[in-house]
Amino acid sequence: MPSPWGWFAVTACGGAGNNFEEPVALQEMDTSNGVLLPFYDPDSSIVYLCGKGDSSIRYFEITDEPPFVHYLNTFSSKEPQRGMGFMPKRGLDVSKCEIARFYKLHERKCEPIIMTVPRKSDLFQDDLYPDTPGPEPALEADEWLSGQDAEPVLISLRDGYVPPKHRELRVTKRNILDVRPPAGPRRSQSASDAPLSQHTLETLLEEIKALREQVQAQEQRITALENMLCELVDGTD
């Protein structure tokens, strides 16, 4: 017999002559023996099929006309999933045209998988986000147990839409002609590369020695002033 993951069945419900006894369509998947994890989005009529132990998510569009099941695409990853969770529609980021978000369970982590529809417009996409079931229950528990039935309470996702902030892009391009070298006499390469004379070298060494002595004198003065400051502070205490 084919495994649960090997075949996918679509069963019709509602209307005259439709019931859950016979499927209206059968879709062969593969020969894996993993447990099938289906997630259906009634807003977009898309069913997502995940298999425990598999590393892919296949999704199909369900229509009211034959052949009823239309293959769309497959999301594949490297690591198999131990389980899968599905975010309700009201938890999606509508400003990024996110239509589905899964939570893939690994051995030691939970990985979010986000599916979006590429759109260039920054406006709210009404066709992607019709009114969807909200958190408010349509019936209380005792009402449902008594046999009552009611349609879910729908909410609009437009309130959750946050338009992106447009950042003004400025490009400042410097003109290399605006940066000019300072005017002055040009020295020939032979003159700049000429070796220093003995007199010039002795003069530079004397200047360096004088600067060192000046630095030492300043350091001594700073030390003396710091000692005076410490004495004044101790006296005031």
Side-chain angles (χ1 to χ4, degrees):
M1 293 182 64
S3 64
W5 183 225
W7 291 86
F8 165 61
V10 176
T11 305
C13 62
N18 294 330
N19 52 55
F20 288 100
E21 295 180 359
E22 294 294 333
V24 297
L26 285 174
Q27 178 71 39
E28 184 176 2
M29 306 298 297
D30 54 28
T31 58
S32 174
N33 58 357
V35 178
L36 182 65
L37 304 174
F39 299 96
Y40 179 63
D41 180 12
D43 297 337
S44 59
S45 300
I46 296 179
V47 61
Y48 301 88
L49 301 180
C50 316
K52 189 174 182 181
D54 195 10
S55 59
S56 61
I57 302 176
R58 299 174 176 86
Y59 40 105
F60 302 80
E61 183 181 8
I62 308 301
T63 60
D64 296 332
E65 300 178 355
F68 303 108
V69 180
H70 305 272
Y71 170 77
L72 296 178
N73 208 337
T74 299
F75 170 83
S76 299
S77 57
K78 296 181 180 180
E79 299 182 9
Q81 55 249 13
R82 293 176 174 265
M84 191 72 71
F86 191 64
M87 170 67 73
K89 209 61 171 293
R90 61 182 181 272
L92 302 182
D93 190 349
V94 297
S95 61
K96 296 181 180 180
C97 296
E98 182 182 0
I99 61 171
R101 186 191 305 171
F102 297 89
Y103 290 96
K104 179 179 178 180
L105 180 62
H106 295 264
E107 182 178 0
R108 296 183 179 180
K109 66 178 181 179
C110 184
E111 175 191 4
I113 299 176
I114 298 175
M115 297 186 178
T116 59
V117 175
R119 294 286 176 89
K120 294 183 179 180
S121 175
D122 293 335
L123 302 177
F124 179 77
Q125 305 297 316
D126 298 87
D127 58 329
L128 296 181
Y129 304 107
D131 291 348
T132 191
E136 296 295 331
L139 294 174
E140 298 295 337
D142 53 351
E143 296 175 340
W144 182 78
L145 291 174
S146 64
Q148 299 184 33
D149 194 8
E151 295 294 329
V153 180
L154 303 181
I155 62 173
S156 174
L157 298 180
R158 183 181 294 272
D159 296 337
Y161 173 71
V162 179
K165 296 181 180 179
H166 295 280
R167 299 179 58 184
E168 184 178 358
L169 180 62
R170 295 183 178 181
V171 178
T172 304
K173 187 175 181 181
R174 296 183 60 184
N175 190 345
I176 59 175
L177 298 179
D178 295 338
V179 182
R180 299 180 180 180
R186 300 184 61 183
R187 298 176 58 186
S188 62
Q189 184 176 4
S190 59
S192 61
D193 295 340
L196 296 175
S197 63
Q198 185 67 23
H199 176 71
T200 305
L201 183 58
E202 291 177 354
T203 303
L204 291 176
L205 292 176
E206 291 177 357
E207 291 179 357
I208 293 175
K209 183 179 179 180
L211 290 173
R212 287 179 178 176
E213 293 176 352
Q214 187 177 2
V215 170
Q216 292 177 358
Q218 295 293 337
E219 290 178 350
Q220 294 176 359
R221 184 182 178 188
I222 292 173
T223 303
L225 291 174
E226 289 178 346
N227 294 332
M228 293 175 59
L229 179 61
C230 292
E231 293 176 358
L232 291 174
V233 173
D234 293 340
T236 54
D237 294 337

